[in-house]
Amino acid sequence: DVLETASRWGVELASESFTDKLETSREPAVAYLRGALGALIGALIGALPWFLVQWLVGWNMWYLGALVGIASFYGYAFLWGAHDTGFALGSVIVSSLLATVGFTVGAFFLGGDYALLVEFYAEEGVRLTTMEWVREIASWIGGDLLWSLLCCGAGLFGIRGRILAYTHEHIFLRGRR
């Protein structure tokens, strides 16, 4: 009797696990598109305070890069992205990296650092070759980019639990019946 009951429970658990797999793969393709678009929009919104501080005050507060990863996930969830953990993580990470790299490079050229660099070499009377310019620009951007990516990664690390809770939401809801 105990063996029969245990085997019945085992079959029920196995079929429930199989049903979970089918439910996650039956999401419409538009859910994946909404998630990717939401992650990108969220990352851009997360970069907005960073951009405004840089542009209005002139301070490079790279630690605000943590907001990019956090806002990227909330954008994904806000537009009801797919409940697929791999896709959600991939969308949030790629969107956050694109926004962080794009902002850092854009801030260098639009925020006045490039103009300062050109002015400095013009005052010194130094003429640089193309490769020397590339090396100089890469060294200026590299430091900011490194710290920005580290802070973005810290934001993503901090939000990982929420991402897992969102993508496994159907499992948590089923347990509450």
Side-chain angles (χ1 to χ4, degrees):
D1 190 38
V2 174
L3 186 59
E4 183 181 335
T5 305
S7 62
R8 206 173 318 127
W9 282 352
V11 169
E12 287 176 14
L13 286 174
S15 65
E16 188 174 300
S17 174
F18 183 70
T19 304
D20 284 345
K21 185 67 177 164
L22 284 177
E23 284 180 9
T24 58
S25 65
R26 287 190 181 171
E27 287 191 274
V30 73
Y32 291 92
L33 183 62
R34 280 193 319 250
L37 184 64
L40 185 59
I41 290 170
L44 294 174
I45 290 172
L48 193 60
W50 190 13
F51 172 76
L52 290 174
V53 168
Q54 170 90 17
W55 184 51
L56 296 175
V57 184
W59 298 340
N60 187 3
M61 299 180 138
W62 41 260
Y63 56 85
L64 290 175
L67 293 176
V68 175
I70 295 168
S72 180
F73 163 69
Y74 282 110
Y76 184 91
F78 184 74
L79 289 185
W80 302 291
H83 289 85
D84 181 346
T85 304
F87 184 78
L89 285 171
S91 295
V92 168
I93 289 170
V94 168
S95 297
S96 299
L97 291 177
L98 284 174
T100 302
V101 171
F103 173 76
T104 304
V105 172
F108 174 77
F109 287 105
L110 300 176
D113 289 341
Y114 179 71
L116 286 174
L117 186 64
V118 170
E119 183 181 328
F120 170 75
Y121 282 114
E123 285 178 0
E124 296 294 319
V126 177
R127 295 182 54 98
L128 298 176
T129 65
T130 303
M131 283 310 294
E132 290 171 334
W133 271 112
V134 169
R135 224 175 296 124
E136 190 68 29
I137 290 171
S139 69
W140 273 58
I141 293 175
D144 287 344
L145 187 59
L146 174 68
W147 290 110
S148 302
L149 287 173
L150 286 174
C151 287
C152 180
L156 289 169
F157 183 76
I159 202 80
R160 76 191 183 287
R162 295 245 187 224
I163 294 172
L164 293 176
Y166 175 80
T167 57
H168 292 85
E169 188 173 48
H170 61 283
I171 294 170
F172 295 125
L173 292 177
R174 179 176 293 136
R176 293 184 186 170
R177 281 189 206 173

